[in-house]
Amino acid sequence: MEKTKHASSKWLTLIIVAFAGGLITKLPYLRETYMEPLQQATGATLTQLGILMSAYGIVNFICYFPGGVLADKFSCKSLIVFSCIGTALAGFWYWTLPGFIWLVVIHAIFAITTVFTFWAAMVKSINRLGDADEQGRLFGMLEGGRGLVGTLVAFGSVAVFGWAADAIGGMKNAILYYSILMLVAGILAWIFMENDKPQKSTAAGKKESTLKVKDFLEVAKMPRVWLCGMLGICNYSALIFHGYVTGYLSNAFGLSDTVVGNLSVIRTYFMMMVGAFVAGFVADKIGSRIKFIKYAFVGMAVFASLYVLIPTKGAGIPLVIVNFIVYGLCLYGIKALYFSTIDEVLVPKRLAGTASGVISLVTYAPEIFLYTVSGNMVDKYANTATPLAGYHHCFIAMAVLSAIGFVCGFVLLRMNKKAIEEAKANGSFTDSTLSVEE
């Protein structure tokens, strides 16, 4: 009976966290779907919309590591509830369409509620649901679930947008829609998630919830955790470059906007869901998330290179579409497993939040500059005799990043093997959990 109750609680937590995780970034990233309407509604220029995203991105970067520490110090349930309701309240303010300065403030608040209090709490709440041999499928289901929720609610936002008489009304409808859903997510988390206030065993057998500075330094001094972040940064940087593939398909192969739009949806949602689910189960099956990531980087390197080699137009169209799909599966398969490596590199579960903060800090650092760099890379050749050269440079960069990711995976496996041998020697290793004492 107790086991059944635990299982039902486990899956309910996974569903609620995936629901909240699929929703939580929708409000700050409205420009990705509603660029023109958002301009009309806020009266902002494209440059000003860029400033909003820069404000969001900069505060995000500052918040990743302290957010990880926060997740180890406080209940993940409390942080997730606060994050969802806080994002909803900021969304209701956004709905009033205040002046530009206040929009900057709102986006800074979004960074606090979507990263500082939410991101690491989301990761840790999933990490604690199972042992090391379950982490792949748990995080695969989380990422796949987030993709599914993101897809469904995005279609819903388009519907409520269409109810309005004009673009400004439609934009307000979309903002209100996402804000209400975030409020619902917060209420569901408050009602159904188990309280998980962190506790630590002391030598006297008592429990204490206060984490010490040495605990945080313990994680920060682990090269294996930083290498997990390197796996993430190689994959996430390649993902940013791969964003230009839809433009390449239009310009190099003459595909219509409709076809390219459908492929873009497949890339963003379908491959995210399928890649995440498959990667999670396969990685657990082979017994190592790191090993799966290492070999998936080989696939990324091969298929990134093929973008440059496949002939344009005509006979190359079926080949490039197949390449597009397979590359995407490798790309999103790795993306789903960034944080599933935490147990495998022997981080105690009580410090999983801090570890996720370090990994996130490294992984998402390219958001600050790489969108600009990659855009300039493509624009540089747009009006020259070789307009596809910029895209080819992006694909070459993807291949190089994949090769670096493979090397990092190889080194990490070697380092981890040595750490496991040392843990076995001092008696702090358990084969069933691949975890050190908590």
Side-chain angles (χ1 to χ4, degrees), residues 197-202 205-212 214-215 350 438:
K197 188 175 181 179
Q199 290 185 324
K200 177 183 174 183
S201 298
T202 64
K206 297 179 180 180
K207 299 284 186 179
E208 59 177 31
S209 60
T210 303
L211 291 168
K212 298 181 174 64
K214 69 176 183 179
D215 292 324
R350 74 177 192 278
E438 297 181 33

Side-chain angles (χ1 to χ4, degrees), residues 160-182:
V160 299
F161 182 94
W163 293 347
D166 56 26
I168 295 176
M171 200 68 257
K172 293 191 72 171
N173 281 359
I175 293 171
L176 185 61
Y177 164 80
Y178 281 129
S179 300
I180 292 172
L181 284 177
M182 284 310 312

Side-chain angles (χ1 to χ4, degrees), residues 10-258:
K10 171 180 176 177
W11 297 117
L12 186 58
T13 295
L14 181 58
I15 291 168
I16 291 171
V17 174
F19 180 64
L23 280 170
I24 197 134
T25 58
K26 292 298 185 182
L27 282 167
Y29 282 106
L30 278 174
R31 70 188 288 275
E32 300 294 324
T33 307
Y34 299 108
M35 178 78 76
E36 293 288 336
L38 192 58
Q39 275 188 274
Q40 294 179 43
T42 61
T45 64
L46 286 175
T47 299
Q48 287 176 319
L49 290 184
I51 291 171
L52 295 181
M53 294 310 299
S54 293
Y56 179 68
I58 290 169
V59 180
N60 278 353
F61 183 74
I62 295 170
C63 287
Y64 278 123
F65 182 72
V69 173
L70 196 72
D72 285 332
K73 189 170 180 63
F74 297 100
S75 159
C76 291
K77 172 182 177 175
S78 299
L79 291 172
I80 289 172
V81 170
F82 174 85
S83 300
C84 292
I85 294 176
T87 302
L89 294 176
F92 291 137
W93 185 12
Y94 197 0
W95 175 75
T96 67
L97 300 177
F100 178 71
I101 296 301
W102 292 118
L103 290 176
V104 174
V105 173
I106 288 170
H107 279 73
I109 293 172
F110 282 149
I112 292 170
T113 59
T114 64
V115 171
F116 180 57
T117 59
F118 181 82
W119 192 255
M122 176 187 73
V123 172
K124 184 163 185 175
S125 66
I126 300 303
N127 173 271
R128 64 185 293 276
L129 293 180
D131 295 330
D133 58 354
E134 297 178 84
Q135 294 296 304
R137 54 185 176 272
L138 284 172
F139 279 96
M141 285 186 281
L142 170 67
E143 193 71 9
R146 289 179 64 222
L148 178 60
V149 170
T151 303
L152 296 177
V153 298
F155 283 128
S157 77
V158 172
V160 299
F161 182 94
W163 293 347
D166 56 26
I168 295 176
M171 200 68 257
K172 293 191 72 171
N173 281 359
I175 293 171
L176 185 61
Y177 164 80
Y178 281 129
S179 300
I180 292 172
L181 284 177
M182 284 310 312
L183 191 60
V184 170
I187 292 170
L188 290 175
W190 176 54
I191 294 173
F192 295 109
M193 284 186 70
E194 288 185 339
N195 185 35
D196 59 328
K197 188 175 181 179
Q199 290 185 324
K200 177 183 174 183
S201 298
T202 64
K206 297 179 180 180
K207 299 284 186 179
E208 59 177 31
S209 60
T210 303
L211 291 168
K212 298 181 174 64
V213 173
K214 69 176 183 179
D215 292 324
F216 309 139
L217 294 177
E218 178 185 341
V219 174
K221 289 179 178 179
M222 290 178 67
R224 301 190 306 282
V225 174
W226 292 94
L227 270 173
C228 289
M230 287 301 299
L231 298 178
I233 199 173
C234 289
N235 178 260
Y236 194 72
S237 298
L239 186 147
I240 292 174
F241 281 115
H242 196 239
Y244 294 93
V245 73
T246 50
Y248 180 69
L249 295 176
S250 295
N251 293 307
F253 294 88
L255 298 181
S256 68
D257 289 342
T258 301

